[in-house]
Amino acid sequence: MRPLRSLLATIRRLVGNREGGVITEFAVACPVFVILLLGGVDLSRLVILHQKLDRVAAGLGDLVAQADELTQSQMNQLFQATAHVAAPFDFQRDGTVVITSISVTGGVPRINWQAKGGGGYVSSSKLGTGAGSTVDLPGNLTVTGTNTLIAAEVFFDFEPLFGVGLVPVSQLYHRSFFRPRVGSLKTLAGG
């Protein structure tokens, strides 16, 4: 009987004791705070990456639209700039850009040419693949008569640094459209 009374007395003393409560609460809350912190870092990286991909799409599309005519070699030089714009993200490993020239043939928007580069991520254009294929343009965007439209599509395979589950692995996509300013850009020379 005595050991039982001693055990009950010890339990009552421990239940009434408030020393060490803060440490226990901290031990419970700390993992939650760490997960929120790491998720916040990944979320910040994702927001910055979206901004950089918008810049890549707009910048590259605008540079192409300013040209009188382009060769594949010149396109390759433009693609090399994407790594600098997207830094510190590894665009050469996780990203790619597709530039598409679109004009009307037979009353339907069709692809004149496509050029792909800037990175090793494997993805196809969401507008269409290959010269001559039809294009479903977004919203109220139209191409009429002899006009040409230049589309820049950017793809990126985003993986969070910490993978705590707050920010998922994502395949990001950005695009921009420009009308050529000088030439028609209906052809891409091979040289």
Side-chain angles (χ1 to χ4, degrees), residues 70-85:
L70 283 170
T71 65
Q72 185 62 51
S73 173
Q74 291 168 324
M75 285 300 302
N76 292 338
Q77 290 174 353
L78 290 174
F79 287 139
Q80 290 176 1
T82 59
H84 299 289
V85 176

Side-chain angles (χ1 to χ4, degrees), residues 102-105 107-110 137 140-150 179 186:
I102 304 165
S103 62
V104 174
T105 305
V108 178
R110 295 187 186 274
L137 295 173
N140 59 358
L141 192 60
T142 60
V143 181
T144 58
T146 60
N147 291 334
T148 307
L149 189 65
I150 299 298
R179 298 205 187 273
K186 288 187 178 183

Side-chain angles (χ1 to χ4, degrees), residues 59-174:
L60 203 55
D62 187 39
L63 284 172
V64 170
Q66 291 178 32
D68 182 15
E69 59 182 37
L70 283 170
T71 65
Q72 185 62 51
S73 173
Q74 291 168 324
M75 285 300 302
N76 292 338
Q77 290 174 353
L78 290 174
F79 287 139
Q80 290 176 1
T82 59
H84 299 289
V85 176
F89 299 96
D90 191 355
F91 197 84
Q92 291 179 334
R93 183 189 72 204
D94 297 327
T96 195
V97 179
V98 178
I99 302 292
T100 305
S101 170
I102 304 165
S103 62
V104 174
T105 305
V108 178
R110 295 187 186 274
I111 294 176
N112 297 320
W113 55 266
Q114 282 185 329
K116 184 177 181 179
Y121 181 64
V122 178
S123 185
S124 298
S125 171
K126 291 188 178 186
L127 298 174
T129 54
S133 65
T134 60
V135 178
D136 186 23
L137 295 173
N140 59 358
L141 192 60
T142 60
V143 181
T144 58
T146 60
N147 291 334
T148 307
L149 189 65
I150 299 298
E153 297 174 282
V154 179
F155 300 88
F156 194 89
D157 187 26
F158 175 76
E159 291 187 28
L161 280 177
F162 301 108
V164 293
L166 296 179
V167 179
V169 173
S170 307
Q171 282 68 43
L172 307 178
Y173 174 73
H174 289 258

